[in-house]
Amino acid sequence: MDELDTAAILPGEVSSATSEDDSKETEVSTTAAGRLRPPFTCPLPVSVEPVLFLSVFSVALQAPLSTQYLWDRISEDLGYNGSKRSDCSNSSMTPDPLQKEVETLTAHWNLYISLGGFSVGLLVVPLLGSWSDLAGRRPVLILPSLGLALQTVVYLVVMYLKLPVVYFLLGRLLSGLLGDFNAILAGCFAYVADTSDRRSRTFRVAVLEACLGVSGMLASIIGGQWRQAQGYINPFWLVLATNLAAALYAYLFVRECVPPDPSAKLLTTRHYKAVWRLFSTGGSSGEDGGRDHRCKLWLYTLCFFLVVTVHSGCRELYVLFELSSPLCWGPTLIGFGSAAQHLAYLSSLLGLKIMQQCLEDSWVALMGLASNIIGLVVFSVANTTQLMFTGYGLCFLFMTSTPVLRSKLSKLVNPSEQGALFASVACVESLCFLVGSGVFNSIYPATLHFMKGFSFLFAAVILFIPAGIIGTLQCLDQRRDQRDATVS
């Protein structure tokens, strides 16, 4: 972008012999620079961070409230009011059959809604992500924000008119058709890859993910208090306003980092072929690295898939786990619990910055996985509020693994292939939400009769797989480097 601007303002420094040719080049450069510039300039030293901040705020505010609304609507339909009884937290009493039915139906509806939205997004997100490599990043930030706003409108209509909860599925489908939240993630991380060097990329990605935590923490605190004071309607109006603000900011203030090609088509198989080529041949970099390079791309993608699947699957169960006995949390405690979870994004960023001074990125990721595993084991046996918050505290480094994996994947491909890479990562992330929602929302009701927290224990066991892969690859790399050093 700066090269285009320089070409636009320094045409007089060239020799007179080439002034006519350079004048033409200057006109082209000025036109290109004009397309890259947004209508306004943001006075703060930020780029796509506000877009991600606002989008996460809307999602984090909406997600727990949606689950609670489903719980309340299903409880009302079945005539269950157990969460209001004084003996709800009395674990010695025989479980109410209606409570199990409410838990099961709520988990299943969460599953259906997630399946609908993310199955559509699984097809749309890679299309939008790869298209942004040609058409620019800004459209991929604007369209999904408008889709999330449209979903919120549907949710508000359901609440105002007391329509069946099946209409929540319609809202998720509409959002999925425009890319959903995963397309925003893809656009933001691709933007960071475009504007950062290899050395600083891991921390830049971690900063972007820290925005997820700060925004989510604020939304969680506000959502719990607001829902207790005024119900569900008013918070969802804020969700709508936040999504519209994200789209407006992206249009007005985000500077385009990819010169847009006006002839780039959205509905074409070319975008899917670009993703397929990346993983089938390893891309342009794979030609030099051979089979080893392609294997690393697949293995790190598998690690990312398993980690994000666990994160997304468990996140949907936390509210359900806390609503029912023996915890029986109300909106305020649920808000604080969600805030504690999102606070780990900041502690993970700080931990990553400190550990990078003395450890390789792979060992930092392993520390994050260890923190996550220990926290999940505590969640699996949590039967008091104190123990539940202890689990949240032990997960204080759980988000150090994903920025490391994103950075490692980004460094495996050439700069010209970042769009295709993050399109595939977005596709994997959509699949993570799909699989995570399906697996964990199915396991949770099926295991209530013998261990309420079995799902969290199952998640902890899964995380040993990416830990083993990352550790093995790092040891092999170190051994190869030592052998090369000895030979030289």
Side-chain angles (χ1 to χ4, degrees), residues 327-456:
L327 295 177
C328 297
W329 283 9
T332 301
L333 277 176
I334 289 175
F336 283 126
S338 187
Q341 181 188 1
H342 286 92
L343 186 62
Y345 284 82
L346 284 180
S347 58
S348 296
L349 174 64
L350 179 61
L352 184 144
K353 183 64 174 179
I354 294 173
M355 289 188 290
Q356 274 188 323
Q357 305 302 317
C358 55
L359 294 174
E360 295 286 342
D361 283 356
S362 294
W363 303 125
V364 175
L366 289 178
M367 294 291 291
L369 290 173
S371 171
N372 200 355
I373 290 170
I374 295 171
L376 287 169
V377 171
V378 173
F379 287 142
S380 69
V381 296
N383 55 6
T384 65
T385 296
Q386 292 81 359
L387 199 56
M388 194 69 188
F389 277 106
T390 299
Y392 282 127
L394 291 171
C395 285
F396 73 108
L397 290 177
F398 89 107
M399 284 306 300
T400 57
S401 55
T402 49
V404 169
L405 290 170
R406 289 184 198 269
S407 178
K408 283 186 173 294
L409 286 168
S410 179
K411 293 174 184 177
L412 286 172
V413 302
N414 288 335
S416 61
E417 297 171 317
Q418 293 295 333
L421 171 72
F422 281 99
S424 64
V425 171
C427 179
V428 170
E429 198 153 6
S430 296
L431 185 61
C432 290
F433 285 105
L434 181 69
V435 174
S437 178
V439 170
F440 286 92
N441 277 295
S442 298
I443 290 178
Y444 181 77
T447 57
L448 283 174
H449 65 283
F450 69 90
M451 184 179 180
K452 190 177 181 66
F454 177 82
S455 299
F456 300 125

Side-chain angles (χ1 to χ4, degrees), residues 78 111 162 179 205 222 283 305-306 324 338 373 378 425 482 488:
L78 296 178
L111 170 60
K162 290 276 188 157
V205 170
I222 293 173
F305 170 78
L306 293 173
S324 56
S338 187
I373 290 170
V378 173
V425 171
Q482 292 173 357
S488 61

Side-chain angles (χ1 to χ4, degrees), residues 70 74 100-116 165 169 316-317 320 437-446:
L70 287 172
I74 293 171
K100 284 191 175 182
E101 187 174 357
V102 171
E103 285 185 88
T104 301
L105 286 175
T106 304
H108 284 170
W109 272 113
N110 267 334
L111 170 60
Y112 303 149
I113 293 169
S114 297
L115 283 175
V165 294
L169 178 59
E316 291 195 0
L317 298 183
L320 199 55
S437 178
V439 170
F440 286 92
N441 277 295
S442 298
I443 290 178
Y444 181 77

